[in-house]
Amino acid sequence: MAKITHTLEYMAAATGVGLAQALSPSMADRFGAGLGSLAHMALASRRRIAFDNLKRAMGRELTDEQIRGIVKNVFRNAGRTLIEFARFRVLGRDGLSKIVEGPDLPELREARERGHGAII
């Protein structure tokens, strides 16, 4: 039974990646936000964990309603990020350089000059 479940999960993921790659950037962004919203609704235990953690950290500065809004936005942004990763292949190096920002660390520059990648 696990093999069937894994196959179905793979098929769903491959379909999502294919769809993300076929969409325009703005549609892909909306798709990702929508996936995040669905996850927010479906994953009650994760939503509760996120809320509890933020409540502990920010409970004196933020209302419960503000914390709930932040949690929802975190899920939406996680969905967007997932779709951005799925689109890396169609973006290519030039497209990625337009959306990925980061410090110009000497180690990264050296790895690039040697023709190697790096994990950040």
Side-chain angles (χ1 to χ4, degrees):
M1 188 56 130
K3 190 171 186 172
I4 292 171
T5 302
H6 291 171
T7 300
L8 292 173
E9 289 170 352
Y10 171 79
M11 289 171 58
T15 300
V17 168
L19 180 59
Q21 291 176 349
L23 294 171
S24 69
S26 63
M27 287 298 294
D29 183 66
R30 287 194 288 260
F31 177 51
L35 285 177
S37 291
L38 284 173
H40 178 263
M41 289 187 298
L43 302 175
S45 65
R46 295 295 173 188
R47 186 176 61 238
R48 194 169 26 259
I49 290 168
F51 178 87
D52 290 346
N53 287 341
L54 276 172
K55 180 75 172 176
R56 266 189 226 107
M58 305 296 295
R60 293 181 188 197
E61 290 87 15
L62 300 173
T63 66
D64 285 0
E65 193 59 37
Q66 289 172 314
I67 293 171
R68 278 191 277 281
I70 291 170
V71 169
K72 185 172 186 174
N73 284 331
V74 165
F75 274 82
R76 289 173 56 87
N77 286 328
R80 285 182 170 113
T81 300
L82 179 69
I83 295 304
E84 284 176 357
F85 278 121
R87 290 180 49 78
F88 275 11
R89 187 175 189 189
V90 296
L91 290 172
R93 180 174 284 188
D94 291 337
L96 281 175
S97 67
K98 291 177 184 173
I99 66 169
V100 176
E101 297 178 7
D104 188 26
L105 300 174
E107 296 84 3
L108 295 177
R109 200 173 331 104
E110 290 172 18
R112 186 175 57 235
E113 289 168 358
R114 289 192 310 266
H116 296 119
I119 298 174
I120 301 174

